[in-house]
Amino acid sequence: MKKLLTLSMMLMVTVLAQAQLKVFPTLKKGLEKVYVSNGTVSLPGQTDMVLTTETKYTVSDATADGYIIDMVTTSVSSTATAQNITGKLLQASQEMVKGLVIRVATDKNGKLVKIANYDELSKAIEKSCQVLINKLYEMQPEIKDALPEEALKSQFKESVTEEALLNGLKSTSSPLMLFGKTIMTGAQEDALNESGMKMKRMYFVNGRSVTSSATLNMTKEDIKKLILAQVEKMAPEQADMMKESIDQLMDSGMLKIEAKETATYELADDNWPKKMEVEVVNESAGQKNVSKTTTILK
């Protein structure tokens, strides 16, 4: 019986060891990687659109604490028609950062630590935000009263804080997402999605392939605070009315929010992904948005 127990424990340890992967990427000054992403976005009442981007990653420096990776989007295109306003805005938001270099600092294992050029970058993005707002009003002049310029600027500023930008680089759709992690099958972690919502993520390892699955991890109070904060910023005159009715609206399902993400990463021997497939599903107030993105190392 003792021998059987010992063998079982050894087998379990062996299986667990095989289902663990240290994603410590090869990083050396001058290393370059180029990724092409094709994302299909499905929005209610709109024809599916494909958004294509090409992004270059360059290890530009080695520091005492780790490395600097420069990330720059070099091209953006989409199949969105002129009538697909939301699609055009998604394209414009990507074009807003085209050509801007985001310098991200990592530790020795490749874990993302901070945006190294944030002060310079934030000023450039702020100028681009104004261009995007002008484009929005040009395409839909009638929404200017509903979405005042100052409210939109406030929203954009929140989306380009250093924390928000770093969170985006750690999101499921980023080739840098797994860097610095030691991943084991069944391991879970708390994470934020690209909209800043709290998620619970679980990992599965199969050789050099990693799959992640994430679901929304927010209480009713968390969601209530999120909705009220958005209303106060975008439509402050409606904030009091929303505070009075939000519980009833949430209980009825009219303000139901759901978010799910699944992703598969195929890693090369140097631990940079050679292929990624990501699906993101968001549902809010009965409107369901789905995006499916395939990213390939060029």
Side-chain angles (χ1 to χ4, degrees), residues 121-239:
L121 183 65
S122 61
K123 292 173 184 175
I125 292 178
E126 192 171 338
K127 290 180 181 177
S128 298
C129 283
Q130 184 62 58
V131 174
L132 183 59
I133 290 171
N134 293 341
K135 190 164 188 174
L136 170 62
Y137 289 156
E138 181 185 331
M139 288 190 290
Q140 286 192 297
E142 67 277 8
I143 69 168
K144 192 168 185 178
D145 291 334
L147 296 173
E149 186 170 325
E150 287 307 311
L152 281 175
K153 282 183 178 179
S154 176
Q155 283 286 94
F156 282 130
K157 283 181 180 179
E158 282 194 13
S159 68
V160 295
T161 61
E162 182 175 4
E163 182 182 9
L165 290 174
L166 195 60
N167 179 48
L169 294 174
K170 293 178 179 178
S171 69
T172 50
S173 58
S174 169
L176 311 182
M177 185 264 199
L178 298 177
F179 282 12
K181 294 180 185 289
T182 298
I183 303 169
M184 182 182 294
T185 291
Q188 296 186 49
E189 67 177 9
D190 293 322
L192 295 175
N193 67 8
E194 292 188 31
S195 299
M197 293 189 287
K198 291 185 284 188
M199 309 285 285
K200 178 70 74 175
R201 183 178 292 136
M202 179 179 284
Y203 290 100
F204 302 90
V205 179
N206 182 14
R208 301 203 59 75
S209 177
V210 177
T211 300
S212 72
S213 177
T215 54
L216 193 66
N217 186 34
M218 296 176 71
T219 65
K220 179 182 177 181
E221 286 303 310
D222 290 334
I223 295 173
K224 186 191 296 188
K225 287 178 183 177
L226 177 69
I227 293 171
L228 290 176
Q230 293 299 314
V231 172
E232 286 174 354
K233 287 169 193 166
M234 302 303 291
E237 70 283 356
Q238 298 179 24

Side-chain angles (χ1 to χ4, degrees), residues 15-73:
V15 170
L16 287 174
Q18 290 175 342
Q20 178 177 297
L21 183 63
K22 291 183 178 181
V23 188
F24 298 169
T26 297
L27 295 171
K28 57 183 179 180
K29 190 173 179 178
L31 179 71
E32 293 184 352
K33 300 283 184 179
V34 177
Y35 289 92
V36 177
S37 295
N38 287 292
T40 301
V41 182
S42 303
L43 300 169
Q46 301 281 2
T47 303
D48 287 0
M49 63 161 281
V50 178
L51 181 66
T52 301
T53 60
E54 183 169 300
T55 307
K56 182 179 180 181
Y57 297 81
T58 305
V59 182
S60 62
D61 201 5
T63 68
D65 301 316
Y67 299 88
I68 301 292
I69 302 175
D70 289 0
M71 168 188 166
V72 58
T73 299

Side-chain angles (χ1 to χ4, degrees), residues 3 28 44 95-96 117 158 170 172 175 216 224 239-240 242-243 247 260 267 272-273 280:
K3 183 178 284 188
K28 57 183 179 180
E95 289 175 341
M96 184 176 75
N117 65 333
E158 282 194 13
K170 293 178 179 178
T172 50
L216 193 66
K224 186 191 296 188
D240 289 339
M242 178 58 77
K243 286 177 184 177
D247 285 308
K260 291 187 289 186
L267 302 179
W272 283 77
V280 177

